[in-house]
Structures are given as C-alpha cells and as structure tokens.
Amino acid sequence: SCVDVHLPINDLLTQTPAIFEPQSSIETAASSTSSNAPSVSGPRQANRAPEKRLTLFALRLAVLEKAATGLGTLGFIWATVVLLGGFAITIDQTDFWFITIILLIEGTRIFSRSHELEWQHQSTWSLADAGINSFRAVKSRSHIAFRACTSIFRTGPTSRAVKVKASPHLKNWKKTTTLTRTWTSSDVPLLPYGQWVFLSRNISRLLYWLQLASATACVVLSLIKLIKQNYGEIQKGDTDKRNRKSALTIFYALALAEALLFLLEKAYWEWKVMWKKILDRVNDECELGPVGMVSVRRFFYDAYSKCVNGSIFDGLKLDLVSFAMELLGSDSSDEQLIGVRILEKFTKNPRFCEDTLQKIGITISVIERLVEMLNWKDVQQEEIRRSAAEILAKLAGKKQNSLRVAGIPGAMESISCLLHIHSVTNCGEIVKQEVVRDNQSYGYWGFNELGLQILKKLARDHDNCAKIGNTKGLLAKIIDFTQAGERLLKDERVTESQILVVKRSLQVVKMLVCTTGSTGRLLRAEISEVVFTISYIRDILRFGERHPMLQKLGIEILTSLALEADATERIGGTGGLLKELLNIFFKQGMPVDQNHVRIAAGEALAMLAFESANNCHRILRLKVLEKLVDALDDPLLRINSARILRNLCIYSPTECFQQLRGVITAAPTVLMLIMTEENKLQEVMVGLAAHVFKFMSSEEASAMFKRAGIQEADLAMTLVQVLKKYPQPQTKTPRIRRYVVELAIWMMKDSHRNVKIFKNLAFERELEGITESTSELESFSIFSGAIGLSRYKMSIHSLVDTAMNLLTDVI
C-alpha cells in the first residue's frame, strides 16, 4: 500500500544508529517491512474506478449513435438510389420536395456535426473554455472532419454537451508565453471585422442548435407524410408507379426512425448529464475537486469518441490514469496541467494510489516527462512543476520506482533544480546564505521541501546515494538548507515550512552519512569537508532547544561522520561543539519524550572519543569526568557514560593519567552493574571495569570490592556464567566475550588467588569454546551496517591465549 503512515516524530527518530552493533540485511529488511506495513486492510473494492460509469455511458450512447448512423445511411442510400434515382420523374412534386428538404436537412446536420467538432477544438484550446473535446480529438480533428463528410453519422454528437463552468482559478490561469513561429488556431482572425461574432465557441453553439433543429424538422416532415399518405394517385395500368407508395413509406419511416434515435440519444444524454449529474458524481468519487470537472469531461468525450469511431468496446479500455499520462505528452500547457492534476490527486488518494503508482512506474516515458517538468521555472508553469514534484515524491516512496526515477539521465540535476538557494556575498566572500523567501510570484519554500523529500526517499537506496554525491553542487545545496541560526530557531513565529525544510535537509544528510561501504566513506569525507556542515549543526545544538528533533538529527549526523578519522578531528576542533554535546547529555529537567536527544548526544560523544587522543583531551579539559562517573547511576545515561569513560581510559594522552584516576570512584557502581542480567548494560560495564581497575593498585582494588560488597569469586562466577550464556557471538552484544576475557586477565594478573578461582570454575573449558566459535563479529569496535570498522589490534585468539597461559602458570 502507498498510504502515508503518519507517526509521531519522536517514534521516527528513536532508532539507534548501527554504530556499536552490526546490522544485518535481514534485520534491515524486517524493520523496513514492518515500518512500511499497510495501514489499511481489507478486500479490494469490486469497483475501485468511478470512471467505469462514464465509459459504460459512452458505450450506450455509441450504440444509439451507431444505430442512428446505420438507419441514416440506409435512408440516404434509399432516397438517392431508389427514390430520386428510380422515381425522380414519377413521384409527386410534393414528395419530391419533401425528400429533397429532408436530404438537405440531414446533409446540413451531418455537416454541422462533423465541423462543429472542429470548431469546438479551437474554442476549447484554453482551460477557460474547455470541456467538450478530447485530447485525441484535438490531435486528429482534420482526419475526423474529412471522415465525417464521407461517412454518414460516423462522428459522435460532440455538440450535445453541457457547457463547462470554469472556476475562477482556471480563468486566471494564463498560458505560457513562449515564442512560436506558427499561428495558434484559436488566435486566427477569420474576418477583419466583427471578430466577436466569429469566435469559435459561438460558431460551435450555432452548429449545435442547427443539429437539433434539423432532427426536429426531419421528424415533423416525416410524420406529416406518414400520417397523410398523400403520395399521389396511380392510374390504372401505370406500372411505373405501383411501388412508389411502399418506397416512400420506407424512406419516411427510415428518416423518422433515424431522427427519433438521434433525439432519444440526446434525451438520454441530457437525462444522465443534467439530471443524474453523472459527470459531477464521478468527479466527486474521484475526489478531483472543482477543477476536476474539466478533466472528467475531457475523459468522457475521449472515451465516447473511441466508441463511435472504432469498436463500441474501445472506450471501455480507457481509464483516467492512462488518459492523464497521455495528456502529459501534449504540447499544450492546458493539457499538461489537466494530466498532472489527475495524477497528483490519484497518487495522494489511498483508494487509487497503488494502481496509479504502478502504472506510472512501468511507463518510463511518463517518468521522464515528470522529471523534465522539474526544470520548468516559468512562473506560469508553477503548478505543473509543483504537481510533477508531488507525483515524483510519491513515486520515489517505493524502492523499485525510486531506482527508475534515479536511473533517468539528468534526474538528479532536475531534482537539484527544485532547491533554490540565495547567497549574499560581500567582495566575493560568502557572508550569509539564506533560502529564498516566498513571494507573490513563486513559492520557493514548497519546491525546496518537495526536492528534499524526493532526495530523502531516493537516498534509501545505496546506489542512489552515490548518484546524489556525484551530482555537481547537490551536496552543497542540501547542506545549505541545514542552516538554522539563532533567529530562526528561537523565533516563536517561525513557520512550519521553514522548520520542515531544515528537518528534511538534515534527514537527507543523515541518510547519506549512514551509507555503508566505500560509497559511505566517500560521502562522509565530502560532507565533512564542506566548511559549513559542522558549524550549522553546532548552531542547531546551541539554539535548538525548542526543536529537539532537529537536535537529534544533527547529533546523529555527527555520530556517523565520526566513523572517519579526519571528520572526527574536524568535529572536535569546531569550537564549542563538544561542550554543546555534553550540555545536552547532562541536561536535567528535559521532558521524557526528549530523552532520545540525550541518548543520541551520549552516543556521539562516545564515537568522538573513540581512537581520538585530541578529543579525549578536549573532553577532560571541560572537567566533566566526575559528572560522567555520577551518570553511571542514571539508568538513562549509564550505558553511554560507560562507553565515554572507557574510551577516555584507553585513548587519552599519557599526561592525563592523574586526572583519569578520578574514574576509580566509579568501580563500586561498575561492579554492582556487572552483576545485572541486562545484556547491553552488562556488556558495557564489563568493558569499562577492565580499564578502570588499571588505574588502581591491588590494595585499592580490594578496597573497592569490599565497598561494593562483592567478592572476587562472585565476580569470577558471573564472568564464567556470561560465557556459558553466550556460546556463540551475538549481534546485540558483539563484544561481551572479549570484555569478559580482558577483565579475567586483569583479575588473574592482579592476584594468584583469582587464577585458582577461575581454574576451579572450569574457565579453561569456556575459553576453548570461545576459540572454536570466534567470528569476525568480535574483531571490530564499531560497525557501519554489516561492515566492521576499526579492527582490534589484539585479536580475541591472542586474548584467549594470554588467559590460557595465566591459568597454566598457576602453582
């Protein structure tokens, strides 16, 4: 289903990035499936296409029309061959003139019906007068006109239409002013004077009433002769006139039947259109809105024309989606506007969106046309361009369609054209970058949001991310939209669209920096090298207290950028950024629904401290070690606090040793939390303990055990139980077995008594199990999706060998 699922923003942003734990493709697919599950269920409706009523109506009209055509043709042939040919001399003078008048009337009506279509093509070229001609009829008007002159009653009664009442919006819509070297048929002055009389719409109305008057006159004349039966007297023995009465009766009956069928068709037409409001009902069911009546009428006349000019069943094959897709290829701006309006409405309608997107997705020419429309910057084409962007935004929501959109040559450049940035410069130096504000002539904010929305959906695919990165100037544009200064973030009157543009841009950047593999490395390098990226995010962290969702997105971008060493140093070297992250991490009194921002800040700090001596030194200079230790008692912060402390213990410069001794006070809390059954908490605390104890002597360690009320044997027993619990490495706790071995090694080195304890607990057997079940999963500190980054310098096999040697050396 393509129904939009609207969830609270916090629910969409609380997922932990795959940094500290690997994420397999199976897990990703499962989460994607669950998140994109249909929000509506139930059997498909038997009749999901309201336009079926119109095609059926067109078929029934075509049956009447072709029946009248057959009778009219037969009557015409009978009159010209039998009566005027065989009895031209012998028929009564009255009958001769009656027949002649009827044929002239019928000829006039035939002429008016064929040429009225041509005139109405001209009168409905703009939307203000549209309503009774079809797109295909416009393209083939000359062919139809000539065909109608040679084949009786072959064209449909296009004059029998109700006048379209265009809305004020349509009347104010102006056609594109482009230089053309040919006349537009509706602009041709037929006569130098009295042009208002010879307007095409007036001529079409005249021809319409002429048809109606002709059919009525035919009925009257035929009835007069059939009732009176005054065909003249036949002299006895006059063999030339013996069949005259029958021939004339047949002719008048055929003429009457043909005219009555025409009037019946007209009555049926008026009853369905005027009284039953079939066009209005279909428009309402399709939810096309007031301007949709033009689309519905054009569709109906197109279906009717197919039924009349071909098989009566041809019109049944037509539907509004294919009709709209064909209109997109028109050279007329009015036709294009009708087409994109229909497709936009249907792609946003839960009842029709699935079928509509499927049809568009398998028609590459339509996708190409929609992408081309993104480049149309003329003010008069604004609505067409916006509707095309809306359709593509929906289309890109499905992965297969997003690949097709991105595969169109020049698609990324066209999408980039939707993003409007205005740079304010001073002597060639960029002072400030602003998004162009809305004005009366053009809505830039709407296009910016749509462009970013399309990019966000395209960025779900790895290959599309590479294309975004390779599009010249596109990354810089996206990053420019992440700018949200103090005035924007703190202003209570800021519009939702402005914040939404910032959010969309941050989401796109986040998806790009989270890309895995070599593509992800290149994108993270390019994004971090843009001089505005990190400073814009710093402003969001500093002034974005009113917008926690923006803060979290910015923090997650920093976390992913920190996968690259150069970006880590750039982030740490940006003045005040680490301080802002720490302020958010330690901030008290935040609403519960904003806790995800504090958690994200802790993850970012842990990543920035990882393998970065400079960032560790910067964090320690902010004198937050005591706060980090205290945060171990906070259930919300303890996991990320433990990660930060561990990285500080490992990667801080040697001159920070004395300052880091303050982490000793955390030992009792760490020991107690190791005894917990919570998997993730147990993993990080075991990993922290192995390094906290390195800052204390054996005597201090013993004192810490006593203070915590835990014996070394109890801790050893817990560690052995952990290894039994994890006979195989787990994706949720990929480092826990490594951390257990590290802590056991420290304990055995610290005291020979601990060696005996581990030996009595059959620790050696558990170590052998680790050797037999070790995988690459345990060889990396961090992950980018399913790809391991930053391999441990010491393999887990080496750690196991060290532990085995310690167990063997016991006396």
Side-chain angles (χ1 to χ4, degrees):
S1 172
C2 48
V3 179
D4 290 338
V5 179
H6 299 283
L7 297 175
I9 190 68
N10 293 337
D11 294 342
L12 296 174
L13 301 175
T14 52
Q15 297 180 357
T16 304
I19 299 293
F20 300 106
E21 292 83 41
Q23 187 175 17
S24 68
S25 59
I26 297 177
E27 292 172 344
T28 305
S31 61
S32 175
T33 301
S34 61
S35 63
N36 294 328
S39 61
V40 291
S41 59
R44 295 167 69 94
Q45 299 179 13
N47 184 7
R48 294 185 47 159
E51 65 266 28
K52 284 184 176 180
R53 296 183 181 181
L54 294 181
T55 54
L56 182 61
F57 178 40
L59 179 141
R60 291 170 177 169
L61 286 173
V63 170
L64 293 174
E65 174 65 23
K66 290 200 172 188
T69 297
L71 290 174
T73 303
L74 181 59
F76 199 92
I77 295 173
W78 186 269
T80 55
V81 176
V82 177
L83 295 178
L84 296 183
F87 298 101
I89 300 176
T90 61
I91 62 174
D92 187 75
Q93 185 176 6
T94 305
D95 289 310
F96 174 82
W97 286 110
F98 266 62
I99 294 171
T100 303
I101 292 172
I102 290 175
L103 291 180
L104 287 175
I105 288 174
E106 288 301 300
T108 302
R109 186 157 62 84
I110 293 169
F111 176 83
S112 65
R113 290 170 72 184
S114 61
H115 288 274
E116 183 208 7
L117 176 64
E118 183 176 354
W119 283 105
Q120 289 189 356
H121 291 159
Q122 320 311 322
S123 66
T124 59
W125 192 253
S126 67
L127 283 179
D129 301 313
I132 52 178
N133 67 309
S134 68
F135 171 65
R136 294 186 182 88
V138 170
K139 295 195 298 183
S140 58
R141 58 186 180 274
S142 299
H143 171 71
I144 294 176
F146 281 110
R147 186 179 179 186
C149 291
T150 58
S151 178
I152 309 302
F153 306 119
R154 294 297 295 167
T155 58
T158 55
S159 63
R160 298 164 231 168
V162 181
K163 181 182 176 182
V164 179
K165 296 182 180 179
S167 68
H169 176 75
L170 287 176
K171 291 181 179 179
N172 293 331
W173 197 89
K174 298 180 180 179
K175 298 188 67 174
T176 307
T177 54
T178 56
L179 179 63
T180 59
R181 297 185 179 274
T182 59
W183 281 99
T184 300
S185 54
S186 59
D187 297 333
V188 175
L190 297 177
L191 294 175
Y193 305 104
Q195 296 183 20
W196 66 273
V197 178
F198 295 97
L199 289 178
S200 54
R201 62 174 176 268
N202 294 337
I203 295 177
S204 66
R205 290 170 184 167
L206 175 63
L207 294 176
Y208 162 71
W209 287 108
L210 188 59
Q211 286 185 56
L212 197 59
S214 300
T216 304
C218 184
V219 170
V220 172
L221 293 176
S222 299
L223 282 174
I224 291 174
K225 297 304 292 183
L226 287 172
I227 293 172
K228 291 186 176 182
Q229 295 282 316
N230 53 348
Y231 304 136
E233 296 182 0
I234 301 176
Q235 301 295 331
K236 186 175 181 180
D238 192 353
T239 59
D240 292 339
K241 299 180 181 180
R242 61 185 174 183
N243 295 322
R244 185 179 63 182
K245 180 178 181 180
S246 300
L248 288 171
T249 301
I250 292 173
F251 170 74
Y252 289 128
L254 288 174
L256 178 63
E258 190 277 335
L260 288 176
L261 274 178
F262 169 80
L263 293 176
L264 176 62
E265 180 187 359
K266 170 64 177 173
Y268 180 55
W269 181 296
E270 294 292 335
W271 180 67
K272 292 289 287 187
V273 174
M274 294 297 295
W275 296 102
K276 302 297 288 185
K277 304 288 186 183
I278 186 172
L279 299 179
D280 300 83
R281 289 172 60 190
V282 171
N283 183 61
D284 293 339
E285 291 180 17
C286 291
E287 300 178 25
L288 295 177
V291 297
M293 282 303 299
V294 173
S295 309
V296 172
R297 288 184 186 278
R298 288 201 173 200
F299 168 79
F300 169 68
Y301 287 111
D302 194 87
Y304 180 76
S305 177
K306 290 174 70 70
C307 289
V308 170
N309 294 323
S311 167
I312 60 173
F313 300 105
D314 287 349
L316 299 180
K317 304 173 185 177
L318 192 64
D319 62 87
L320 271 170
V321 177
S322 58
F323 173 71
M325 287 164 52
E326 186 170 355
L327 289 180
L328 292 183
S330 170
D331 293 330
S332 166
S333 297
D334 299 338
E335 306 271 0
Q336 296 160 0
L337 183 59
I338 290 175
V340 294
R341 277 175 174 169
I342 294 175
L343 294 180
E344 180 190 2
K345 291 287 187 181
F346 276 16
T347 54
K348 291 181 177 180
N349 192 316
R351 294 167 54 203
F352 312 125
C353 68
E354 185 176 355
D355 297 332
T356 303
L357 292 177
Q358 184 179 8
K359 275 196 170 185
I360 298 174
I362 61 176
T363 312
I364 299 300
S365 60
V366 174
I367 301 178
E368 290 177 344
R369 184 63 162 171
L370 291 171
V371 170
E372 177 191 348
M373 288 176 172
L374 301 184
N375 298 292
W376 296 359
K377 298 182 181 179
D378 195 290
V379 174
Q380 284 80 23
Q381 295 173 318
E382 180 182 357
E383 185 177 353
I384 297 177
R385 189 187 188 203
R386 180 181 290 107
S387 297
E390 293 274 10
I391 297 167
L392 285 173
K394 290 291 184 181
L395 192 65
K398 291 185 176 292
K399 183 176 181 179
Q400 192 62 35
N401 290 336
S402 72
L403 294 175
R404 294 189 180 107
V405 172
I408 301 297
M412 291 301 176
E413 289 79 5
S414 298
I415 296 170
S416 179
C417 289
L418 294 174
L419 308 180
H420 299 265
I421 295 289
H422 175 63
S423 299
V424 182
T425 60
N426 183 15
C427 299
E429 180 182 358
I430 295 180
V431 177
K432 185 179 181 182
Q433 299 218 0
E434 295 179 341
V435 182
V436 179
R437 298 297 192 268
D438 279 320
N439 53 57
Q440 294 180 353
S441 61
Y442 216 81
Y444 290 99
W445 278 106
F447 285 110
N448 291 333
E449 181 189 341
L450 286 171
L452 292 170
Q453 185 179 354
I454 295 172
L455 290 172
K456 175 189 171 185
K457 292 182 177 180
L458 294 179
R460 294 172 182 171
D461 182 79
H462 183 278
D463 294 335
N464 290 345
C465 289
K467 292 177 181 179
I468 293 173
N470 292 331
T471 303
K472 183 178 179 181
L474 183 53
L475 278 181
K477 274 188 175 183
I478 297 171
I479 292 170
D480 282 334
F481 283 104
T482 64
Q483 181 189 14
E486 180 179 5
R487 185 178 64 177
L488 178 66
L489 293 171
K490 289 190 173 183
D491 189 357
E492 297 182 357
R493 297 169 299 176
V494 65
T495 62
E496 184 179 353
S497 62
Q498 291 174 302
I499 296 299
L500 187 58
V501 166
V502 177
K503 187 187 84 170
R504 294 274 191 229
S505 60
L506 289 171
Q507 288 173 331
V508 174
V509 175
K510 176 191 169 184
M511 298 176 78
L512 294 177
V513 298
C514 289
T515 307
T516 59
S518 58
T519 300
R521 288 194 294 271
L522 291 173
L523 285 171
R524 287 189 287 272
E526 290 183 30
I527 290 173
S528 64
E529 287 172 359
V530 177
V531 294
F532 300 108
T533 303
I534 300 172
S535 59
Y536 286 168
I537 295 176
R538 178 186 58 188
D539 292 340
I540 293 173
L541 301 184
R542 182 173 294 170
F543 307 116
E545 183 178 359
R546 296 171 53 86
H547 305 284
M549 84 288 274
L550 300 184
Q551 288 185 321
K552 184 172 188 291
L553 286 169
I555 292 169
E556 289 174 343
I557 292 171
L558 296 178
T559 304
S560 295
L561 287 177
L563 291 171
E564 309 302 325
D566 291 342
T568 299
E569 295 304 318
R570 290 191 181 98
I571 294 170
T574 301
L577 186 52
L578 290 174
K579 182 178 179 181
E580 295 301 331
L581 287 172
L582 287 166
N583 289 339
I584 293 174
F585 184 62
F586 293 123
K587 187 173 182 180
Q588 299 293 327
M590 291 183 68
V592 177
D593 59 351
Q594 296 182 16
N595 285 339
H596 58 278
V597 182
R598 300 178 69 187
I599 295 173
E603 292 170 350
L605 288 166
M607 274 302 301
L608 291 170
F610 178 74
E611 293 184 345
S612 176
N614 291 330
N615 283 345
C616 288
H617 184 57
R618 293 180 181 114
I619 292 174
L620 290 174
R621 281 195 309 180
L622 295 173
K623 304 185 184 306
V624 293
L625 187 63
E626 185 177 352
K627 288 185 177 181
L628 289 171
V629 172
D630 293 339
L632 294 176
D633 295 321
D634 188 337
L636 180 67
L637 308 179
R638 57 178 44 152
I639 289 179
N640 287 317
S641 180
R643 287 170 174 163
I644 298 169
L645 286 171
R646 184 177 188 275
N647 289 338
L648 290 177
C649 293
I650 299 174
Y651 303 112
S652 293
T654 54
E655 60 267 22
C656 298
F657 181 82
Q658 288 300 322
Q659 186 178 358
L660 280 170
R661 275 182 56 82
V663 78
I664 294 175
T665 59
T669 303
V670 173
L671 289 173
M672 288 186 291
L673 292 176
I674 288 175
M675 311 305 287
T676 184
E677 294 293 330
E678 188 179 340
N679 300 338
K680 178 54 62 179
L681 180 61
Q682 193 175 55
E683 180 193 45
V684 297
M685 291 304 168
V686 171
L688 176 59
H691 295 278
V692 168
F693 288 132
K694 292 179 181 179
F695 287 92
M696 61 182 75
S697 62
S698 297
E699 293 77 12
E700 290 174 327
S702 299
M704 289 298 174
F705 274 101
K706 290 180 181 180
R707 184 182 303 175
I710 298 173
Q711 299 294 324
E712 285 89 339
D714 297 333
L715 179 59
M717 175 65 74
T718 300
L719 296 180
V720 173
Q721 291 298 325
V722 169
L723 294 183
K724 290 181 178 180
K725 183 179 179 180
Y726 297 101
Q728 301 290 333
Q730 302 291 321
T731 57
K732 298 300 182 183
T733 53
R735 293 167 292 271
I736 192 166
R737 302 200 305 177
R738 168 183 286 274
Y739 290 167
V740 165
V741 177
E742 289 179 351
L743 182 55
I745 290 174
W746 175 85
M747 291 179 67
M748 289 188 287
K749 286 182 177 180
D750 184 65
S751 172
H752 286 289
R753 185 181 54 167
N754 291 337
V755 177
K756 293 179 180 179
I757 293 174
F758 278 109
K759 196 169 185 65
N760 293 334
L761 292 172
F763 187 57
E764 185 175 359
R765 183 174 58 193
E766 301 301 329
L767 292 175
E768 290 175 355
I770 293 177
T771 303
E772 295 173 357
S773 60
T774 300
S775 73
E776 281 288 275
L777 182 64
E778 299 174 292
S779 301
F780 298 96
S781 303
I782 54 177
F783 301 88
S784 175
I787 299 174
L789 304 177
S790 185
R791 182 181 291 271
Y792 285 108
K793 294 179 180 179
M794 182 175 289
S795 67
I796 193 168
H797 287 285
S798 299
L799 287 174
V800 170
D801 290 341
T802 301
M804 295 283 280
N805 291 335
L806 290 171
L807 289 171
T808 305
D809 292 342
V810 66
I811 300 177

